[in-house]
Amino acid sequence: MEQVLKLRNLKVVFPTDYGLIRAVEGVDLDIFHRECVALVGESGCGKSVTSQAVMRLLESPPALIRVDALEFDGRDLTQCTEQEMQEIRGRDMAMIFQDAMTSLNPVMTVGRQIDEMYRRHNGDSKKEAREKTVKALELIGIPEPRERANSFPHQLSGGMRQRVLLAMAFACMPKLIIADEPTTALDVTIQAQVLKTLRGMQRGCGTSLLLVTHDLSVVASIADRVYVMYAGKIVEKAPVKDLFTSPHHPYTVGLMAAVPRLADEKKQFTQIPGTVPSPVNKPSGCYFHPRCQYATERCRQEMPRLKPTGKDREVRCFHPLSAGGEQQ
Amino acid sequence: MTEIMTLQNVSVHFPVRGALPFLRKGEIQAVSDVSLSIHRGEIFGIVGESGCGKTTLASAMVGMIKPTAGQVLFEGVDLNRLPRDEFKKMRRRMQMIFQDPFSSLNPRFNVYQIVSEPMLIRGEDDEETMKARVVELLELVGLSSQDLYRYPSDFSGGQRQRLGIARAISLNPSFLVCDEPVSALDVSIHAQILNLLLELQEKLNLTYVFISHNLADVKKMCDHLAVMYLGKVMEAGNSDKIFANPMHPYTQALIAAILDIDFSEEREIIVLPGDTPSPINPPSGCRFWQRCPKAMRGCREVPPEYVEVEPDHFVACHLVNGFPDQELPEGYDQPMVPREKVPGR
Ligand SMILES: Nc1ncnc2c1ncn2[C@@H]1O[C@H](COP(=O)(O)OP(=O)(O)OP(=O)(O)O)[C@@H](O)[C@H]1O
Ligand SMILES: Nc1ncnc2c1ncn2[C@@H]1O[C@H](COP(=O)(O)OP(=O)(O)OP(=O)(O)O)[C@@H](O)[C@H]1O
Ligand SMILES: [Mg+2]
Ligand SMILES: [Mg+2]
C-alpha cells in the first residue's frame, strides 16, 4: 500500500518557567492511502501538538522539535521551506479544527472562502470556482447551496459551519486531511450527520484522514486504525476492530470502560483512579503505573517499549491484557 | 413520594431587538409552557441539544430567572411571590453546579475563600467554624485540608469540579442543579465525578436536577427525565419506561445517535436531516416537524398536546396521541413525503 505519511520519533518540548513540558516523546505514525487513522487520548496528552508538528504549524520557539523522519507523499517535509509548506498545506494536506468560528473569516461569505481555495490552488476563474463551491456545498448536504454560499459564518449554525470547513478541506482533493476534534463542539444528532459526511467524502475522494479526538465512540464509528496516546507517548496501536474487541493496554481498557453505555448498570460508573500526570512532573517508569491495577515493581522503574503483539498491533506494557481482559 | 419542585406552565421568553428599536424582531422562546414535577430525593434529568433551554429551565427552577409566565413551586411555595428576604432564604436551599470548572471559580481566591464564600455571604463570621466546615466539605468531595490555601490554577479540571461541588453544598442545600457537570472534563474523570455526585446524594439526602446532552449518562443517573427540543418538553417521565419504550421520534433519534463502541452489535443509526431551527419565532405546530422522519401534514400546523400515555410517561406527539378534536387541515394524517422544502435557519 502506498504510504502517505511517515513520522518517526517526533519529540516536542516546551520550556516554561516551571520546567520542561515534554509534550510529545518519540511518536511514530504511519498513514496509508485512503485510510482513516485516529489519534485518541485525553486532554494534554499531545495529540494536537503531534498533528501540528506533522503540518509544520508548530511555532518554534517556543516549541523545541526533533524528528528523525517526516515524510509526506514521498517528500521530506523537514527540508521544505515555509513557502513550499504553504503550498502543500491546502493543496495536498488540509486541516479541520474543532472550532469552525476561529478558522473561518467572519467578514467574508463562506462561498468566497471556499472559492478562494479553488482559485488559489487550481487557478480557477471566479465563475468556475463558484460552480465548484456550490457543488461542494451540495455534496456535504447543505440545503440551497447557491443561496447559502452568500451567508457569513455567523449566519450559519455550528453544524453547518463545520460542514463548510469540510468542504474547504476537501476542495482541492488533498492527499491527507488532519481533523482535530472535528465534531467535539457539535450536538449529538449533528455530530452523527457530520461524521457520516466526513466518512463519505473521505471514501469518495480517496483521501487519507488523521482524526484527532478524545472520544472513543467517534473513533469506533469512523476509524480504520487507532493510535492511543497517554502523556506524550503512544501506548497502543491497533486496527479499530481489534482494539475495541480486545484492548491490550490497561489504559485503553479503562478508557473503554469509561464510555457510558445504554446497556450498563444504573447508578454506578466504572472509574479509572487518579488523574493524568502533570506534564512537567511525569512519574517514573511507565507513565500509567500510578493508575494501573496491574502495576508491578518493574512498571515503577522502567518505561516499557512499544512491542508488536499481533498483525499491525503494538502495545507499550509489561503486562498486556489478552482477549477476555485477562492478564497474560 | 413528595414533590419538592413543581413547574406549572412555565415559559421564559427573552426579547430580541431588531436593528432599529421599533422593529421588534420577536422573542426567543427559550422555554415554553413546561409543566413538570420533581420528587424529593430523586435525580431528575433534562436532556436535549444545545440551545433547547435546559439551562434556562433550571435557572427558573432555582429562581435565577423569573419566568415570563407560569409558576415555580418549591416545596409548594411560589418562589416568585415570596418577599425578598424569604426568597433569599429559600434560594440558599437550592444550588447550582456549572459546566465549566475553569471559569466558574474566581482565580484570585484560594480554596478556603472559594468554599467559604457562601457562608460568609450568609453572615457566618467565626473563622474557626468556617475552617472546620471547609475542611469537612473538602474531605467529603475527595480533597484534603492540605489543599486549603492553594489556588484554582493548581488543580486539574476534575479537582476544580470537586471544588465547585464543595462550594455548592456548603450551605446544606436540599436541591442541587448539576448543569453538564462533566462535559468539560477528561473522559477518564467523568466516572469519578458522577460517582461522587451519586455518593453525596445518598449521604446528604439531596434532590438533583441533572442536565446533560449525553443520554447514556442520563440513563445511568436519573430516575425521571424530560427530553427537550426548542424550549418544549417532548417526552418526560420515568427513566426506565422512556428508555424501554421511547415514543417520541426525537427521543428515538437521540437514543440512536449515541455512538457506540460495541462492535458486536449492529445498530441502526437515524440521521436527522437539517439543523435545530432558531428559537426566535419557532416553527408553528410541533416544533420538531421539520426534522421529524415521521412527520405528517398536520404536524406543521397543529401543536401536539402533552399527554400522559401510561402512568408516569408523558409524550407530546400526534403520532402517539392522535390529532385533537378540532378543525384539521386536509390530509393532516398523510405523511409528509416527498419532504417539503424546509426553510433554513
Ligand atoms: N505553546 C505551548 N506552550 C507550552 N506548552 C504547550 C504549548 N502547546 C501545548 N503545550 C503543552 O503540550 C501538551 C500537549 O498539548 P496538546 O495541545 O497536544 O494536547 P491535546 O492532546 O491536543 O489535548 P486537548 O484534548 O486538550 O486538545 C500539554 O501539556 C500542553 O500544555
Ligand atoms: N439571557 C439571555 N438572553 C437572551 N437569550 C438567551 C438568554 N439565555 C439563553 N438565551 C437563549 O435561550 C435559548 C436556550 O438557552 P439555554 O442556555 O437554556 O440552552 P441549553 O439547553 O442550556 O443549551 P446548552 O446545551 O448549549 O447549554 C438559546 O437560544 C439561547 O440563545
Ligand atoms: Mg488538542
Ligand atoms: Mg446550558
Side-chain angles (χ1 to χ4, degrees):
Chain A
M1 238 194 311
E2 189 190 336
Q3 182 151 9
V4 175
L5 183 83
K6 178 175 166 186
L7 175 70
R8 288 292 173 271
N9 200 16
L10 172 71
K11 291 183 174 163
V12 182
V13 172
F14 295 97
T16 66
D17 295 344
Y18 27 88
L20 278 187
I21 292 185
R22 292 180 211 284
V24 179
E25 301 187 37
V27 163
D28 294 353
L29 271 185
D30 292 295
I31 300 176
F32 295 94
H33 186 50
R34 286 174 157 265
E35 190 182 37
C36 173
V37 171
L39 185 57
V40 65
E42 293 179 89
S43 185
C45 71
K47 307 180 294 293
S48 298
V49 168
T50 303
S51 57
Q52 285 162 8
V54 165
M55 297 204 87
R56 296 220 6 228
L57 280 172
L58 207 56
E59 283 190 38
S60 172
L64 302 175
I65 308 166
R66 236 195 62 194
V67 63
D68 289 354
L70 174 54
E71 286 165 27
F72 170 68
D73 200 17
R75 217 167 146 179
D76 184 355
L77 291 191
T78 59
Q79 300 302 316
C80 289
T81 62
E82 181 49 37
Q83 197 182 345
E84 287 170 319
M85 275 316 296
Q86 275 181 16
E87 269 166 38
I88 293 175
R89 281 187 257 172
R91 193 187 58 212
D92 302 318
M93 211 193 229
M95 189 134 185
I96 303 169
F97 294 98
Q98 166 173 354
D99 186 0
M101 214 49 198
T102 57
S103 1
L104 290 170
N105 183 342
V107 296
M108 206 195 255
T109 64
V110 294
R112 273 201 52 205
Q113 297 186 48
I114 307 175
D115 294 350
E116 283 290 306
M117 300 297 294
Y118 290 112
R119 299 187 58 192
R120 188 145 32 104
H121 297 289
N122 291 4
D124 291 344
S125 74
K126 248 186 174 155
K127 230 174 131 210
E128 284 169 335
R130 180 47 63 99
E131 283 312 309
K132 287 186 183 168
T133 297
V134 170
K135 265 232 181 75
L137 288 176
E138 193 171 7
L139 200 64
I140 55 170
I142 292 195
E144 290 145 35
R146 202 168 291 276
E147 292 76 43
R148 281 289 143 187
N150 293 321
S151 309
F152 289 93
H154 72 266
Q155 294 171 323
L156 301 177
S157 67
M160 279 201 198
R161 283 198 292 263
Q162 207 62 29
R163 273 175 282 167
V164 166
L165 279 195
L166 295 192
M168 278 173 78
F170 280 100
C172 303
M173 297 276 190
K175 287 241 160 58
L176 174 68
I177 290 182
I178 298 181
D180 194 344
E181 309 272 7
T183 58
T184 305
L186 303 178
D187 277 328
V188 279
T189 64
I190 309 293
Q191 165 167 300
Q193 285 175 17
V194 171
L195 284 178
K196 198 177 160 203
T197 314
L198 183 59
R199 186 61 167 156
M201 305 260 309
Q202 186 240 329
R203 292 238 166 102
C205 302
T207 305
S208 304
L209 184 65
L210 175 61
L211 175 77
V212 173
T213 181
H214 69 275
D215 190 339
L216 275 181
S217 57
V218 169
V219 172
S221 70
I222 86 169
D224 299 309
R225 268 189 325 117
V226 189
Y227 290 84
V228 182
M229 209 167 168
Y230 187 76
K233 286 190 179 279
I234 302 292
V235 296
E236 182 159 10
K237 164 190 155 182
V240 70
K241 199 165 173 190
D242 298 347
L243 186 80
F244 284 100
T245 47
S246 125
H248 286 346
H249 200 285
Y251 176 61
T252 316
V253 175
L255 267 189
M256 283 175 54
V259 177
R261 277 171 257 202
L262 284 177
D264 282 352
E265 195 96 7
K266 283 196 86 156
K267 309 256 175 190
Q268 192 187 326
F269 295 84
T270 321
Q271 60 185 51
I272 307 179
T275 56
V276 177
S278 143
V280 287
N281 190 14
K282 295 186 191 174
S284 61
C286 169
Y287 290 158
F288 188 61
H289 90 253
R291 304 176 77 184
C292 181
Q293 56 172 317
Y294 307 111
T296 58
E297 194 48 38
R298 186 167 181 212
C299 308
R300 287 183 263 279
Q301 306 281 341
E302 193 184 330
M303 170 63 78
R305 300 163 153 281
L306 258 186
K307 272 211 205 92
T309 56
K311 188 174 180 298
D312 257 347
R313 292 199 72 162
E314 282 173 16
V315 63
R316 186 188 294 282
C317 181
F318 292 127
H319 313 290
L321 302 161
S322 64
E326 294 296 308
Q327 191 74 70
Q328 273 173 2
Chain B
M1 270 205 294
T2 51
E3 286 172 12
I4 184 166
M5 171 71 62
T6 311
L7 303 186
Q8 292 171 345
N9 308 93
V10 170
S11 297
V12 182
H13 297 177
F14 298 107
V16 192
R17 294 258 158 69
L20 298 165
F22 51 85
L23 275 180
R24 268 196 90 219
K25 253 178 123 177
E27 48 188 10
I28 295 182
Q29 304 192 0
V31 171
S32 357
D33 196 19
V34 170
S35 301
L36 290 173
S37 49
I38 299 174
H39 299 285
R40 192 179 292 283
E42 76 164 335
I43 305 185
F44 189 96
I46 305 180
V47 262
E49 297 178 273
S50 185
C52 70
K54 304 182 293 293
T55 302
T56 307
L57 182 64
S59 309
M61 287 181 188
V62 299
M64 273 164 52
I65 290 182
K66 211 175 154 164
T68 320
Q71 266 122 45
V72 178
L73 308 177
F74 181 67
E75 297 180 333
V77 181
D78 188 342
L79 276 187
N80 298 293
R81 295 224 182 134
L82 285 177
R84 245 188 101 86
D85 48 336
E86 293 278 322
F87 175 75
K88 269 192 176 162
K89 244 189 234 156
M90 200 67 126
R91 271 234 43 205
R92 278 184 208 135
R93 314 215 353 242
M94 306 183 248
Q95 293 292 331
M96 206 149 165
I97 297 167
F98 299 93
Q99 167 171 1
D100 186 357
F102 297 89
S103 62
S104 57
L105 301 175
N106 186 334
R108 279 191 295 267
F109 278 17
N110 65 29
V111 168
Y112 173 61
Q113 289 167 312
I114 288 171
V115 179
S116 65
E117 194 191 14
M119 291 184 254
L120 210 64
I121 293 173
R122 188 185 57 182
E124 179 64 64
D125 53 8
D126 183 48
E127 281 275 331
E128 285 307 304
T129 322
M130 274 205 291
K131 197 161 288 173
R133 174 74 179 142
V134 172
V135 170
E136 184 190 358
L137 287 165
L138 290 180
E139 281 166 3
L140 214 50
V141 298
L143 297 171
S144 81
S145 57
Q146 291 173 354
D147 299 320
L148 219 43
Y149 299 107
R150 294 170 70 196
Y151 287 83
S153 57
D154 301 339
F155 291 97
S156 69
Q159 288 173 316
R160 282 185 230 195
Q161 197 56 291
R162 287 174 195 270
L163 274 182
I165 295 172
R167 184 189 150 97
I169 59 176
S170 62
L171 297 181
N172 286 318
S174 47
F175 186 81
L176 196 60
V177 172
C178 313
D179 191 354
E180 311 236 12
V182 297
S183 27
L185 303 180
D186 267 338
V187 205
S188 75
I189 309 301
H190 285 195
Q192 293 180 11
I193 297 295
L194 295 175
N195 281 336
L196 171 66
L197 286 173
L198 285 170
E199 190 189 313
L200 289 176
Q201 190 218 9
E202 191 131 302
K203 253 190 215 158
L204 306 176
N205 229 337
L206 294 165
T207 306
Y208 286 156
V209 168
F210 181 77
I211 300 180
S212 176
H213 58 264
N214 185 333
L215 266 187
D217 279 347
V218 168
K219 179 169 188 255
K220 290 179 75 169
M221 288 288 283
C222 301
D223 305 295
H224 281 83
L225 67 101
V227 179
M228 289 183 75
Y229 186 81
L230 268 184
K232 285 250 185 206
V233 173
M234 300 276 129
E235 183 159 4
N238 179 291
S239 159
D240 294 338
K241 287 188 186 175
I242 292 178
F243 278 102
N245 181 19
M247 293 193 197
H248 200 288
Y250 181 59
T251 316
Q252 293 167 356
L254 272 185
I255 293 178
I258 302 176
L259 299 172
D260 219 328
I261 62 168
D262 283 329
F263 271 71
S264 43
E265 248 177 273
E266 285 285 320
R267 265 189 339 136
E268 189 196 2
I269 293 188
I270 307 173
V271 174
L272 290 179
D275 272 306
T276 317
S278 152
I280 306 174
N281 310 323
S284 56
C286 172
R287 295 198 172 176
F288 185 55
W289 74 265
Q290 295 170 323
R291 298 181 72 198
C292 183
K294 298 176 180 164
M296 296 173 285
R297 289 208 191 130
C299 296
R300 53 188 287 187
E301 273 138 69
V302 188
E305 285 171 66
Y306 183 64
V307 177
E308 186 164 14
V309 288
E310 61 176 317
D312 214 5
H313 189 171
F314 297 79
V315 183
C317 177
H318 292 310
L319 208 65
V320 180
N321 306 332
F323 282 89
D325 252 346
Q326 64 176 67
E327 209 181 302
L328 293 164
E330 205 178 316
Y332 66 90
D333 55 354
Q334 298 301 306
M336 256 192 286
V337 197
R339 283 184 64 80
E340 289 163 49
K341 255 209 171 163
V342 171
R345 78 184 229 163

